[in-house]
């Protein structure tokens, strides 16, 4: 996705943006609001250094402006969640004023100067709803994500209040990378060619949002800038750690995008069949598009996911249940069953030259690449073929990258299995009493082809009747 594509969310993201200022210290910054209709509270995510004085009573009242609503909160009217044990309410309760000032001074120095602790420069405030006008309260489906699941390079947009001004301004750019060591994201702003450091003042605490597989993701908070303003680099802290802490406190928290979260509005938002159908004849393109719409009405990802095995062949670069590439392949399987006329026992089996066969589906990138032998080897070694996917099966393979080799027929598949069984690793396994060719792998057969192979066979078809015939021919060919 391009940076400019994120601009369509600018109006919506403004609803999340809040201006914050400590009435005593004058420290100002931005925040990111989550509010739920059924909740008693409003939650504000921000940089810890913006509100540290207020939370510890070293500062004074917290002033805020959000969505047309001005509010003032005294320190005792705010509950908070941070990553510092020293700031827990019970810990501070018995500290003297001087001891609290020392703690604040140390933490303030940490989050401003120590790269190893800047990831802790985050706080969530919990404030009773009566502080806000009723019209300000809204509910949106917004998700967080484990930071490593986002690619290094993604576009973002944020709305903040630089230099303490009342006017909300847009911050946009691209993520550069996620640093595992210091748990910070390097980000590069765009459109700030001069006086970058000055322009970034007050953006601390601004929430960054991106589009990930059709969903809005709250990806992090602005915490600090690079002193080399030529490159417009700043740092953002992730959200997953503070969300986890919120849950331990029994607070409401954004949902974590991942397991149990298939893509919503799959065909509408992702449009991931466009590339597959790009070179097909117009009648075929229209016909297949209509069929996929019908399939989606009956078999949406959230329904299919309840019984989907999601085989681990081998580790994927993203979570399969959330990946539109995975579901695109799954829809092709459902279409193949529709295209083949000689079904047995409903859609459970097909009949190829008298053989009763299942169609299996695997989605993978191979061992870091889309390589067919690596995929087969991984599936065998992990007992996916033979135990989880039984023999006498045609495997349809999907991957985001296109492999060099896209098909192994039944007779050649046996040769691959044999070569794996004769490898030094498998010899050791056999000596330990494990026979790679035992059971299903010895007595039954497999064939495999990549979805890209199928698409290449369909490119020349002039009608849907031709397409259906060609699908059957591909299945027969792989079973030779």
């Amino acid at each position: 996705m391009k940076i400019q594509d994120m601009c369509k969310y600018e109006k919506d993201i403004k609803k999340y943006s809040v201006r914050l200022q400590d009435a005593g210290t004058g420290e100002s910054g931005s925040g990111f609001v989550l509010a739920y209709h059924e909740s008693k509270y409003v939650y504000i995510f921000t940089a810890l250094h913006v509100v540290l004085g207020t939370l510890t009573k070293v500062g004074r009242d917290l002033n805020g402006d959000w969505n047309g609503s001005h509010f003032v909160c005294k320190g005792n009217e705010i509950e908070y969640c941070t990553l510092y044990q020293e700031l827990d309410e019970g810990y501070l309760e018995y500290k003297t004023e001087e001891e609290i000032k020392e703690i604040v001074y140390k933490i303030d120095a940490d989050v401003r100067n120590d790269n190893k602790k800047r990831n802790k420069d985050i706080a969530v405030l919990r404030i009773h709803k009566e502080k806000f006008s009723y019209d300000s309260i809204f509910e949106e489906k917004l998700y967080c994500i484990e930071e490593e699941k986002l690619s290094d390079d993604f576009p973002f947009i944020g709305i903040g209040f630089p230099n303490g001004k009342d006017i909300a301004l847009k911050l946009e750019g691209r993520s550069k990378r996620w640093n595992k060591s210091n748990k910070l994201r390097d980000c590069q702003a765009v459109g700030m060619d001069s006086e970058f450091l000055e322009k970034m003042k007050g953006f601390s605490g601004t929430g960054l949002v991106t589009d990930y597989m059709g969903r809005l993701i709250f990806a992090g908070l602005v915490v600090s800038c690079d002193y080399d303003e030529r490159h417009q680099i700043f740092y953002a802290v992730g959200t997953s750690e503070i969300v986890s802490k919120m849950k331990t406190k029994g607070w409401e928290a954004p949902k974590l995008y991942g397991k149990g979260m298939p893509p919503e509005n799959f065909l509408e938002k992702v449009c991931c069949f466009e590339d597959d159908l790009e070179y097909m004849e117009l009648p075929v393109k229209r016909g297949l598009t209509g069929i996929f719409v019908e399939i989606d009405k009956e078999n949406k990802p959230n329904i299919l996911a309840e019984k989907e095995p999601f085989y681990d062949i081998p580790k994927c670069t993203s979570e399969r249940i959330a990946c539109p590439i995975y579901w695109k392949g799954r829809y092709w399987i459902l279409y193949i069953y529709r295209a083949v006329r000689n079904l047995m026992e409903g859609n459970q089996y097909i009949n190829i030259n008298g053989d009763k066969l299942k169609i299996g589906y695997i989605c993978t990138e191979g061992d870091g690449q889309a390589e067919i032998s690596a995929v087969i080897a991984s599936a065998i070694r992990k007992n996916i073929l033979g135990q989880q996917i039984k023999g006498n099966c045609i495997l349809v393979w999907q991957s985001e990258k296109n492999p060099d080799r896209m098909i192994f027929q039944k007779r050649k598949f046996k040769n691959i299995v044999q070569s794996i069984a004769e490898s030094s690793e498998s010899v050791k396994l056999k000596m330990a009493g494990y026979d790679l060719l035992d059971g299903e792998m010895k007595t039954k057969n497999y064939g495999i082809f990549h979805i890209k192979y199928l698409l290449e066979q369909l490119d020349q078809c002039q009608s849907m009747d031709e397409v259906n015939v060609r699908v059957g021919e591909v299945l027969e060919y792989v079973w030779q």
Side-chain angles (χ1 to χ4, degrees), residues 343-388:
L343 296 176
M344 302 172 63
E345 301 178 27
N347 281 355
Q348 297 301 308
Y349 297 93
I350 60 174
N351 184 359
I352 302 292
N353 299 326
D355 288 332
K356 179 181 173 183
L357 307 177
K358 291 270 291 185
I359 296 178
Y361 175 53
I362 56 177
C363 186
T364 179
E365 287 302 323
D367 291 326
Q369 59 184 340
E371 202 284 305
I372 194 167
S373 296
V375 168
I376 295 170
S378 176
I380 293 172
R381 291 185 180 114
K382 294 186 178 183
N383 295 327
I384 291 165
L385 297 185
Q387 292 190 17
Q388 298 178 60

Side-chain angles (χ1 to χ4, degrees), residues 6-7 9-10 13 155-159 170-172 207-209:
M6 291 300 302
C7 292
Y9 297 117
E10 183 175 349
I13 298 307
F156 61 76
I157 185 172
I159 304 292
K170 177 173 62 175
L171 176 65
E172 58 184 342
L208 303 181
V209 175

Side-chain angles (χ1 to χ4, degrees), residues 248-458:
T248 63
K249 291 172 70 75
W251 287 12
E252 296 143 315
K255 291 183 179 179
L256 191 64
Y257 181 85
K259 191 172 183 179
M261 302 296 293
E264 293 177 344
N265 301 326
F266 175 59
L267 292 183
E268 295 175 24
K269 288 187 176 180
V270 181
C271 301
C272 57
F273 286 95
E274 291 180 359
D275 292 341
D276 286 1
L277 307 181
E278 183 177 4
Y279 299 109
M280 294 186 185
E281 297 293 332
L282 188 58
V284 172
K285 186 181 296 188
R286 287 175 175 170
L288 286 172
T289 299
I291 289 172
F292 286 128
V293 170
E294 291 176 11
I295 290 173
D296 187 64
K297 289 178 180 178
E298 302 168 6
N299 303 275
K300 294 184 182 297
N302 63 322
I303 297 173
L304 294 171
E306 294 177 4
K307 297 182 179 179
E308 195 72 6
F310 301 111
Y311 303 114
D312 185 20
I313 317 175
K315 185 179 180 181
C316 190
T317 54
S318 63
E319 194 166 32
R320 289 184 175 89
I321 193 171
C323 180
I325 301 298
Y326 181 93
W327 292 110
K328 179 172 69 168
R330 192 68 181 83
Y331 275 35
W332 273 109
I333 302 298
L334 293 172
Y335 166 67
I336 290 172
Y337 272 121
R338 287 179 177 228
V340 178
R341 311 284 182 175
N342 55 347
L343 296 176
M344 302 172 63
E345 301 178 27
N347 281 355
Q348 297 301 308
Y349 297 93
I350 60 174
N351 184 359
I352 302 292
N353 299 326
D355 288 332
K356 179 181 173 183
L357 307 177
K358 291 270 291 185
I359 296 178
Y361 175 53
I362 56 177
C363 186
T364 179
E365 287 302 323
D367 291 326
Q369 59 184 340
E371 202 284 305
I372 194 167
S373 296
V375 168
I376 295 170
S378 176
I380 293 172
R381 291 185 180 114
K382 294 186 178 183
N383 295 327
I384 291 165
L385 297 185
Q387 292 190 17
Q388 298 178 60
I389 301 179
K390 301 293 186 180
N392 281 1
C393 176
I394 292 178
L395 297 168
V396 180
W397 172 34
Q398 171 72 303
S399 64
E400 189 170 0
K401 299 177 183 177
N402 293 326
D404 294 329
R405 181 157 190 167
M406 295 185 288
I407 185 170
F408 269 124
Q409 293 167 280
K410 177 177 69 173
R411 64 178 185 272
K412 294 184 179 179
F413 198 99
K414 278 287 189 184
N415 295 335
I416 292 293
V417 174
Q418 187 67 44
S419 64
I420 294 170
E422 292 172 354
S423 67
S424 58
E425 177 186 347
S426 294
V427 169
K428 292 178 182 177
L429 289 172
K430 194 167 184 177
M431 291 174 64
Y434 174 76
D435 188 350
L436 191 61
L437 292 179
D438 195 19
E440 294 280 316
M441 294 304 299
K442 177 183 281 187
T443 60
K444 296 185 179 178
N445 292 292
Y446 295 85
I448 185 171
F449 66 89
H450 196 277
I451 284 175
K452 181 69 173 178
Y453 176 84
L454 175 66
L455 299 182
E456 290 180 354
Q457 311 310 306
L458 303 184

Side-chain angles (χ1 to χ4, degrees), residues 107-143:
I107 291 176
D108 192 59
D110 281 352
V111 298
R112 292 181 187 272
N113 304 312
D114 191 337
N115 278 329
K116 293 182 180 179
K117 295 184 180 178
R118 276 183 179 167
N119 68 292
K120 298 176 77 171
D121 190 9
I122 187 170
V124 182
L125 315 181
R126 187 165 86 158
I127 304 171
H128 272 278
K129 252 182 191 173
E130 60 256 23
K131 284 287 182 182
F132 308 90
S133 65
Y134 179 78
D135 291 342
S136 296
I137 307 303
F138 64 93
E139 181 174 18
E140 296 284 346
K141 285 186 177 179
L142 196 78
Y143 298 87

